[in-house]
Amino acid sequence: MSENTHPGGGDNLGPPFNNPERDTPIPSRPATPGADGGGSSGGGSRFKAWMGKKYEKGMARVERGVQKAERGVKSLLDRGKPKDEGGQDAGGSSSSKVRVIAMGTFKTALGIAVALVPEPFKGPAEALLKVVDVIEKVDSNKEEVGILKERCDLLGSSIVNVVKGKDTKFLSDDLRDSIGRLVAGIWDTLEATNKEKSTGFTAYVLAEDDVGVLKKANKKLDELLQCFWIENHIAGTIVLNDILATVQDQAGWMQGLSATLDKHFENSTLNQLRRIPGAAYDSQDVAAKVLPCFEGTRSTLLANVGRWMSGRVSDGHNPPLYVLDGIAGIGKSTVAITVAQRAAGINSLGATFFFSRDEDDRKKSAGFVHTIAYQLARYDASYGKAIAAAITSNPDALDKVLTQQFSLLVAKPLCLLLEQRATPLVLVFDALDECVEPDASAVLKLIIFSVSQLPNIKVFLTTRPELDLRSKYLGTKEAKVFHLQEIEDLIVEHDIALYVLESLSSAKIEATLGDSYNPHWQPTEEAKTKLVKMSGKLFIFASTALKFVLDKHRLNPKAQLNKLIMAHSQGTSQLSELDKLYVYILNSAKPSIDAEGWLNDYKKTVGGILVLQVPLCALVMEKLMDEEPYAVKTRLAHLHSILAPIGQGSTLTYRVHHKSFPDFVTGSLCPPEFKIIEEEQHLDLAKCCLGVINKQLKFNICQVPSQDQYQDLDDLLNEGLCTDHISKELEYALCYWANHLSRLSRMDSKIIALLEEFAKEHLMHWLEALACIKQLDIAHNALKEALAILVC
C-alpha cells in the first residue's frame, strides 16, 4: 500500500484541491480583466485608458517575459539530453539532468513547474507566468513591492533548489506534488489579491496602490515558503542552508520557523526537574543504537510526514498526532530519529523521548513529563522562564500524577507562548511499546488528550501495534495513523537495495575491514539481489546480515555472504526470516570443540546482558559476575552483528542491536540450546549482587574521618565526600540486588545463605552506602520487594 494514501489520514493538499469545484486545471488567463479584448466589467478598460502607454509597455513586458522563461526552461531541460551523432537531440525523453548554477528566478521556477508538476497544478503555474514579469520589473521604491519581489525570487530559488542537479525523470511524485501545491498556493494568494482590486493584480502592482493588500499577500507568501521548506526539509529533498544562504537576514527568516533562536536560558529552578538525559534523540545512549535513515530511503514516508508537519492543525487533514506503528525490525526508530534530526535542523524540534525497555529510567513514565518540560525550557528562553515560574509558584507540581504534572509544568505556562508561533513545534516520542504497562497506556492517554491539544504542537509517535495501545490511538480523530508494514513491497525493496548496494561497495567494505579486504573481490549482482529479497520489509534483517558479512573478526566477507545465502536457501523451519538469521549467526559463533562449554558461557554472558537493569561496561560486568578479565569480550567476539560493541578499553560495552533478538532468544520458538530463561539469569545476578555486597561492603566505606562522622551528610557531600571506595560493580549491586530478587518464583539454599549474611552483617552498611551515592530513596522499595519474595 502506498505510504501517502493510507486511510488513517489524507494527503494535505490544501483548500483548492479538496474542493470538487477546483479539481480541473486553472486555465491560462490574461493578467488583467479586459486584456484579451473582453471582460465582464469596464474596470480594466478604464484603467487601460488611464495608464495609456505605460500599460501597453507593461503588457508587452509580460509577453516577452513569458516567452523568455519558456525558452530558458526549454534550454535548461534540454541541456542534459542525449545527442545523436549529428549533435541533435536524440529525443525520447523530455526529462534530463537539470544543472542550475545560480539562477533561481521565479519565471524559470514556474517554467520548471509547468514541465514537471501533475495536471491539476499546471493551470496555476501557467497563469502565474503571465503575472510574474510585471512584478519583477515594476519600477518602485515602495517597501512592500520590494518585499514582494524578494519573495518571488526566494520562492523561485526554493523550487529550483529541490531539482538542482537531479535527473528530472526520477523525481518522486511526492516532490512534484509538493512543488505543485506551492505554486497553487501562490496563485491562490495573488488571485485573492486580484479579487480585492477590480483592475486586476498586474495593473494594481503597476499603480502601486493600497500597501495593506500587499502586506497581506506578503504574509501569506511567507507562510507558503515556511511550509514548503519544512515539508521538503523533513522529506530530505531540500537543504535549508542552501536556501538561507541566499537570504541576507538569515536569523530573521529562521525565526519565522521558530519562536526564538536563544537556547541558552539558565535557571537553577529548572534543575529541580528530574529529567532523563538518555531519552533525548541526540543522547549517547540513543545514538549508539539507532541510526537515521540511509540517504535516499523512506522518501515517500518522510514526504508524507513532512506534509503533515508543515500543515496547520486546524486543517482536517493534519491532526496533531502522527502515529507510525509497525512490527519489530521494520525501521520505526530509524524514521523517528530522522524526523527528529531534520526537525532540529530547522529549529522546529521542541522535545524528544526515546523509550527503551533496556533502561530502567526509560521504560517507565516517571520521568516523562519532567524530561519534556526540561527540553522545552532549554529550547526557548521564554519557555524556560515560564516553566521556572510555574515550578517556583507551585513546587508540589513536580510530584503530582502525570496529567497534573503536564498541566502545571507545561500546558498552562506555555499555552499563550505557543499560540504566537508561526509554524508548529514538533515533539518526537519513540517506541512507546517499550514502556511497561500500565505506564505506556497512561503516557498515550496524556499524549492524545493533553500534549497534542497544545496550540501549534505536532506529535510524532512510533510504537509496535500492541493491543492495549492500538485500541486507543486507532479510536481517536486526533491521530493520523500509518502502518509501516503496509508499505508497498516495491518501495521497501528499492530502499533496502540502495542500502545493500552502498554497504557492499568497494569503498564501504574497505572502510570497514581495512587492509585485510581484497579489493579484487566484489559481491555478484545475484548475491546482492538475494540478500535484498531475504530482507523482505525488515531493515533490521539487512542491517544484521551486513554486520555478519562484514565481521571484523572473521575478515572473510565472501565466505560469510555465501554461507548466509546457502543457509537461507536450505532453511525449512517455520521461523520468521529474521529469527532464522539469528539462529544461523548463533550457530556460526558456536565452536565445534567444547560446544557445551561455549553454550553455558553464552547463556551466562548474553543472558546477563539482557537482564541487567542498566548497561555495564564489560570490565565491570566481569567483576560483578566474578569472571576472568576479557571473558566477555572473548565470548562475544563472533556475535557483534547482534550485540553491538560500543567504546573500547575500559569503556567497552555491549548492547543488543535490536529488541527483536531478546524477544527471540527468550521466546518459545528459539531452539532449546540457545534459549535464555530470564528467571535463571535474574537468579544468577541476584547471587552475584549479594556476593559483591557481602565481600566489599563495610562500615564507613567512604572513610569519613571520626571528627566528621556526626556531620550532616549533605554537608559532607557538598564538601566533596570521596566515594571512590564504592566500586562500579558494588554500586550496581547496592541499587539492583532487590530488583533481580523480585523476579524469582523460587530460591535455592545458596541465595538464602547470601541473604542471611546480608541481613545480619551489612543491612546498615547498605543504607549508609546508598546515602553516600545519593540513592537512599530506593531503600524502601528494595526492602519491600525482598520481603515480598521471602514471604512467598
Side-chain angles (χ1 to χ4, degrees):
M1 183 173 184
S2 177
E3 292 180 10
N4 60 347
T5 58
H6 186 265
D11 286 343
N12 175 27
L13 296 183
F17 306 103
N18 52 19
N19 183 344
E21 296 179 2
R22 292 295 299 275
D23 282 345
T24 56
I26 300 174
S28 177
R29 69 187 78 182
T32 61
D36 58 353
S40 58
S41 71
S45 59
R46 288 196 301 271
F47 184 81
K48 180 178 177 181
W50 174 57
M51 291 295 291
K53 292 183 179 180
K54 185 176 182 180
Y55 177 81
E56 296 293 348
K57 290 180 180 178
M59 290 309 300
R61 285 201 303 269
V62 173
E63 295 303 325
R64 288 197 302 273
V66 172
Q67 294 169 8
K68 181 180 178 181
E70 290 173 347
R71 291 194 302 271
V73 172
K74 185 177 186 302
S75 172
L76 187 67
L77 294 174
D78 286 346
R79 205 172 293 169
K81 283 185 178 180
K83 305 289 184 180
D84 59 22
E85 294 181 358
Q88 301 298 317
D89 289 345
S93 173
S94 61
S95 297
S96 56
K97 286 194 174 181
V98 179
R99 299 182 180 90
V100 179
I101 298 175
M103 222 298 249
T105 67
F106 199 19
K107 292 190 301 296
T108 297
L110 288 171
I112 292 173
V114 170
L116 294 179
V117 300
E119 191 62 36
F121 304 114
K122 291 187 184 295
E126 293 167 348
L128 278 173
L129 274 169
K130 296 184 179 295
V131 178
V132 171
D133 193 62
V134 175
I135 297 175
E136 289 188 337
K137 292 196 169 71
V138 61
D139 296 326
S140 173
N141 294 320
K142 191 166 290 185
E143 181 181 2
E144 290 300 325
V145 175
I147 292 174
L148 186 65
K149 294 178 185 178
E150 291 175 2
R151 296 302 178 267
C152 286
D153 275 340
L154 199 51
L155 286 159
S157 297
S158 299
I159 294 172
V160 171
N161 187 269
V162 297
V163 299
K164 180 172 58 179
K166 300 174 182 175
D167 193 330
T168 55
K169 65 185 177 185
F170 293 125
L171 295 180
S172 68
D173 291 342
D174 301 286
L175 179 55
R176 296 170 191 266
D177 285 345
S178 178
I179 295 172
R181 286 192 299 274
L182 175 63
V183 171
I186 299 165
W187 170 252
D188 284 346
T189 299
L190 300 186
E191 187 182 42
T193 309
N194 178 46
K195 289 177 181 177
E196 295 192 25
K197 291 289 172 181
S198 62
T199 54
F201 182 73
T202 305
Y204 159 69
V205 172
L206 287 171
E208 302 176 13
D209 190 18
D210 198 344
V211 173
V213 177
L214 264 178
K215 285 185 176 180
K216 185 177 178 181
N218 283 331
K219 182 179 179 182
K220 179 62 179 176
L221 292 180
D222 272 351
E223 293 176 0
L224 289 169
L225 264 174
Q226 290 166 8
C227 287
F228 184 77
W229 286 352
I230 292 173
E231 176 182 337
N232 285 282
H233 186 79
I234 297 300
T237 53
I238 191 171
V239 179
L240 192 55
N241 287 338
D242 293 347
I243 297 295
L244 292 177
T246 67
V247 186
Q248 292 182 352
D249 182 15
Q250 292 190 25
W253 277 91
M254 200 56 152
Q255 285 176 346
L257 293 174
S258 63
T260 180
L261 293 177
D262 185 2
K263 298 183 181 180
H264 305 291
F265 172 71
E266 297 291 341
N267 190 307
S268 59
T269 306
L270 296 174
N271 292 329
Q272 297 180 49
L273 292 166
R274 297 183 292 276
R275 73 188 191 280
I276 301 171
Y281 84 98
D282 55 353
S283 69
Q284 185 175 3
D285 290 344
V286 173
K289 296 182 68 173
V290 185
L291 296 176
C293 294
F294 188 76
E295 185 178 355
T297 64
R298 299 299 197 195
S299 57
T300 303
L301 172 61
L302 290 168
N304 193 14
V305 173
R307 285 196 297 277
W308 162 79
M309 190 182 296
S310 63
R312 291 189 174 278
V313 176
S314 57
D315 185 345
H317 294 289
N318 283 284
L321 174 60
Y322 191 115
V323 180
L324 181 70
D325 72 10
I327 59 177
I330 203 165
K332 301 182 296 298
S333 295
T334 297
V335 174
I337 202 167
T338 302
V339 171
Q341 286 182 348
R342 292 180 180 176
I346 52 176
N347 204 28
S348 291
L349 183 68
T352 58
F353 198 103
F354 278 58
F355 291 95
S356 173
R357 64 183 173 191
D358 298 329
E359 310 287 346
D360 193 53
D361 55 359
R362 288 202 277 143
K363 63 182 179 183
K364 300 175 182 175
S365 63
F368 180 73
V369 172
H370 282 232
T371 302
I372 300 309
Y374 186 87
Q375 291 182 26
L376 287 170
R378 293 306 185 201
Y379 168 78
D380 186 312
S382 61
Y383 296 2
K385 292 175 183 177
I387 293 172
I391 296 172
T392 301
S393 62
N394 192 358
D396 291 342
L398 296 168
D399 300 308
K400 297 288 186 182
V401 297
L402 213 60
T403 52
Q404 291 186 43
Q405 278 186 30
F406 185 79
S407 175
L408 296 170
L409 297 177
V410 179
K412 289 182 178 178
L414 298 189
C415 190
L416 292 177
L417 293 171
L418 289 168
E419 286 179 349
Q420 299 169 10
R421 289 187 58 85
T423 56
L425 186 65
V426 181
L427 310 180
V428 177
F429 306 137
D430 178 61
L432 181 59
D433 58 284
E434 296 201 38
C435 181
V436 297
E437 288 289 2
D439 290 30
S441 292
V443 169
L444 180 57
K445 183 179 179 181
L446 179 73
I447 291 172
I448 293 174
F449 296 107
S450 298
V451 180
S452 60
Q453 301 306 307
L454 286 174
N456 278 324
I457 284 289
K458 291 290 187 74
V459 180
F460 184 82
L461 171 70
T462 72
T463 179
R464 290 194 201 181
E466 306 292 355
L467 180 60
D468 289 343
L469 302 176
R470 187 174 70 243
S471 60
K472 294 178 177 65
Y473 60 73
L474 287 178
T476 175
K477 64 179 181 180
E478 304 298 334
K480 177 175 183 174
V481 182
F482 183 76
H483 308 300
L484 195 49
Q485 61 267 24
E486 293 185 3
I487 297 178
E488 292 178 2
D489 291 346
L490 289 177
I491 295 175
V492 183
E493 185 175 320
H494 173 265
D495 287 352
I496 291 179
L498 281 178
Y499 174 56
V500 170
L501 293 175
E502 174 65 18
S503 299
L504 291 180
S505 66
S506 297
K508 285 290 185 180
I509 297 176
E510 188 171 2
T512 303
L513 302 182
D515 295 338
S516 60
Y517 166 59
N518 176 10
H520 298 292
W521 175 79
Q522 273 291 303
T524 65
E525 292 301 318
E526 181 184 6
K528 289 185 283 190
T529 301
K530 285 183 179 179
L531 186 55
V532 172
K533 292 289 186 184
M534 288 160 56
S535 301
K537 291 186 177 182
L538 299 180
F539 269 86
I540 184 58
F541 185 103
S543 174
T544 305
L546 288 168
K547 284 183 172 64
F548 176 78
V549 171
L550 303 178
D551 190 301
K552 294 181 181 179
H553 290 273
R554 297 186 184 274
L555 298 174
N556 194 345
K558 180 180 179 180
Q560 294 288 89
L561 180 58
N562 291 337
K563 288 178 183 177
L564 187 61
I565 292 174
M566 183 175 295
H568 181 269
S569 63
Q570 295 174 349
T572 58
S573 71
Q574 296 183 354
L575 294 174
S576 70
E577 297 299 325
L578 186 59
D579 290 346
K580 284 190 282 188
L581 175 63
Y582 287 144
V583 170
Y584 181 73
I585 292 174
L586 291 172
N587 273 319
S588 298
K590 183 177 67 174
S592 56
I593 301 175
D594 192 22
E596 184 177 351
W598 181 88
L599 286 169
N600 290 332
D601 290 340
Y602 149 79
K603 290 182 178 180
K604 184 175 183 179
T605 305
V606 175
I609 291 172
L610 296 189
V611 301
L612 280 172
Q613 300 301 289
V614 295
L616 293 178
C617 67
L619 183 63
V620 174
M621 188 176 172
E622 288 159 356
K623 292 179 179 178
L624 176 67
M625 302 176 72
D626 196 22
E627 296 282 358
E628 293 292 326
Y630 300 103
V632 171
K633 184 177 181 180
T634 302
R635 292 169 187 171
L636 302 180
H638 296 308
L639 292 176
H640 286 190
S641 55
I642 48 181
L643 286 161
I646 301 168
Q648 54 187 347
S650 61
T651 65
L652 180 67
T653 305
Y654 289 88
R655 299 199 181 190
V656 176
H657 182 56
H658 192 268
K659 50 185 173 283
S660 56
F661 175 69
D663 285 347
F664 170 64
V665 294
T666 60
S668 59
L669 295 178
C670 182
E673 62 176 338
F674 298 123
K675 186 177 177 64
I676 290 175
I677 309 298
E678 289 182 277
E679 184 175 342
E680 294 178 1
Q681 305 307 316
H682 282 295
L683 177 61
D684 285 345
L685 278 178
K687 291 176 183 178
C688 291
C689 287
L690 289 169
V692 168
I693 288 174
N694 292 338
K695 183 179 180 180
Q696 295 188 17
L697 199 57
K698 61 182 181 180
F699 170 72
N700 192 20
I701 191 171
C702 292
Q703 299 182 6
V704 178
S706 56
Q707 65 270 21
D708 294 331
Q709 287 181 5
Y710 296 99
Q711 191 174 343
D712 187 88
L713 181 60
D714 287 339
D715 293 337
L716 288 174
L717 292 172
N718 291 334
E719 292 171 6
L721 176 67
C722 180
T723 58
D724 292 345
H725 295 285
I726 300 177
S727 65
K728 292 298 181 182
E729 65 271 17
L730 176 57
E731 184 176 337
Y732 179 90
L734 294 171
C735 294
Y736 297 110
W737 67 269
N739 294 68
H740 294 296
L741 195 69
S742 68
R743 311 295 177 89
L744 307 181
S745 59
R746 60 177 179 81
M747 291 193 293
D748 58 22
S749 58
K750 182 177 180 180
I751 197 168
I752 290 175
L754 289 167
L755 276 168
E756 287 180 350
E757 181 181 354
F758 168 74
K760 290 178 181 178
E761 303 291 337
H762 300 294
L763 184 60
M764 294 306 296
H765 302 160
W766 172 63
L767 294 172
E768 175 194 347
L770 284 178
C772 291
I773 60 174
K774 300 182 181 180
Q775 295 291 336
L776 187 58
D777 58 335
I778 71 172
H780 178 266
N781 282 337
L783 291 174
K784 186 177 178 180
E785 289 175 342
L787 288 172
I789 189 66
L790 286 171
V791 170
C792 292

